[in-house]
Amino acid sequence: MVSPPGAEVDRTDSERPDCVDELVGESQLWRQVIRLPQVGSTNDIAKDLASRGRPEGTVVVAEHQTAGRGRMDRRWLAPPGTCILCSLLFRPDLLPQQAQRLTMLCSLAAADAVEQVAELCVAVKWPNDLIVTSDRGCGSDHRWLKLAGVLTETGMTGTQLDYVVVGIGINVNVPAAVLPDLDPNATSILAETGRCVDRSRLLAALLESVEARYRQLARGQNPQGEWSARLATLGRRIQVNTADGILDGVAEGVDENGALLLRTADGTLRRLFTGDITRAQR
Ligand code: BT5
């Protein structure tokens, strides 16, 4: 359900144009940023708008989600007014099996934005997380702290990709004491750096980087190489929880459409389209 049109202009921060408005004014891609105080899920709003014909470049941003989602209907939790919760609408010239290129592209852009605005180094964790690696892990295992998640959903017309909605949640100004309520492995920019970040600046940096990277994609440049290079588990022995059970192997990278390339003990190269990496050795 989309909120009535009047709600779309509801500004949660201030009435004066901020850096996001300035960016949209100069952008070739971004047409409208719809800011809402509270929604179920920004992805649901964006998908509803997409199915009603909204153009590419529509952005839905919320201060609070009452039904934020991860993959497989898992929950995405965020204290109101502290995080980036947004969904970006694309109508790319891609085949349906190439839609995950936008997941890679947007997570790289989120990494750019976090590094630029918060000066915090992040890695990507297949298939859709931004993480901070920590030495706080025990034994020979790595400990990963999840800073952000990406949820990509598609709409089809027949066999053609009609739209792609990429939902991005970044834990920004969440105090360390609140993080365990979100997830035992959650972290935030505030917890990592000790500093609060201006969420408008972070969103503007995110949108700017997505636009630049989307232009590269349209020119035929695939984010795969850069994404693989940022993979926290590259070359490491990992365990992946899949629908077919737990698989062990060495992460060799991702293919052009974002599938994980896992070399199992018998030498087979497995191509995994979905799953969760549950362990990695140092
Ligand atoms: C994701 O799923 O990581 C995708 C999250 C996408 C959220 C954005 S917010 C804007 C847009 N609108 C939506 O409704 N969603 C998108 P997945 O890999 O399935 O991870 C979900 C798991 O992350 C949960 O089961 C929890 O264990 C954990 N989790 C929940 N909230 C978290 C948080 N704030 N920080 C870290 N981990 C969290």
Side-chain angles (χ1 to χ4, degrees):
M1 259 292 283
V2 174
S3 310
E8 289 183 5
V9 291
D10 208 326
R11 306 186 68 90
T12 50
D13 41 8
S14 78
E15 289 299 324
R16 68 189 159 77
D18 68 2
C19 49
V20 175
D21 299 306
E22 278 165 23
L23 181 102
V24 170
E26 291 163 9
S27 166
Q28 305 283 308
L29 172 64
W30 306 117
R31 289 168 179 245
Q32 188 185 12
V33 177
I34 300 171
R35 303 185 203 217
L36 301 166
Q38 179 172 307
V39 298
S41 154
T42 55
N43 264 35
D44 289 344
I45 304 274
K47 282 163 64 181
D48 192 89
L49 291 168
S51 63
R52 293 159 188 252
R54 276 291 172 118
E56 163 163 278
T58 302
V59 180
V60 179
V61 185
E63 289 295 298
H64 181 43
Q65 294 188 126
T66 54
R69 286 185 284 113
R71 292 172 301 145
M72 295 163 278
D73 280 331
R74 294 163 176 165
R75 295 184 71 190
W76 186 260
L77 302 171
T82 61
C83 293
I84 297 265
L85 304 166
C86 68
S87 296
L88 317 180
L89 169 57
F90 300 96
R91 296 190 185 274
D93 188 14
L94 292 175
L95 298 169
Q97 62 269 28
Q98 297 173 331
Q100 292 307 324
R101 293 181 187 190
L102 286 168
T103 311
M104 292 193 276
L105 183 159
C106 288
S107 59
L108 286 171
D112 292 341
V114 169
E115 289 182 354
Q116 185 193 319
V117 175
E119 295 172 2
L120 173 65
C121 276
V122 291
V124 296
K125 175 172 172 263
W126 181 85
N128 63 324
D129 292 347
L130 275 196
I131 59 163
V132 175
T133 51
S134 156
D135 293 332
R136 282 171 266 166
C138 43
S140 59
D141 285 350
H142 257 301
R143 173 114 197 265
W144 293 312
L145 298 172
K146 182 159 170 170
L147 183 77
V150 177
L151 176 67
T152 299
E153 298 182 297
T154 57
M156 304 284 292
T157 303
T159 56
Q160 309 257 316
L161 198 56
D162 179 21
Y163 66 81
V164 180
V165 165
V166 182
I168 304 168
I170 308 178
N171 300 331
V172 185
N173 299 325
V174 186
V178 178
L179 289 169
D181 298 342
L182 311 182
D183 187 88
N185 291 315
T187 193
S188 67
I189 290 176
L190 174 59
E192 293 298 323
T193 65
R195 291 187 303 274
C196 278
V197 155
D198 179 339
R199 287 179 297 141
S200 286
R201 271 189 67 208
L202 191 62
L203 180 62
L206 170 68
L207 295 179
E208 192 175 12
S209 178
V210 170
E211 179 166 5
R213 289 174 175 282
Y214 193 55
R215 239 183 271 128
Q216 291 171 353
L217 183 74
R219 287 199 295 265
Q221 229 172 296
N222 193 318
Q224 165 205 14
E226 201 184 335
W227 206 92
S228 273
R230 267 194 184 258
L231 197 59
T233 55
L234 191 64
R236 291 182 196 280
R237 200 178 164 77
I238 59 170
Q239 216 168 60
V240 190
N241 207 347
T242 73
D244 303 328
I246 291 175
L247 292 174
D248 264 302
V250 173
E252 290 200 350
V254 293
D255 77 3
E256 67 279 9
N257 293 325
L260 181 69
L261 300 173
L262 186 77
R263 182 79 60 185
T264 53
D266 63 3
T268 313
L269 191 63
R270 300 280 301 256
R271 205 172 284 263
L272 304 181
F273 295 95
T274 180
D276 288 292
I277 298 176
T278 49
R279 275 185 66 180
Q281 284 179 1
R282 284 185 209 274

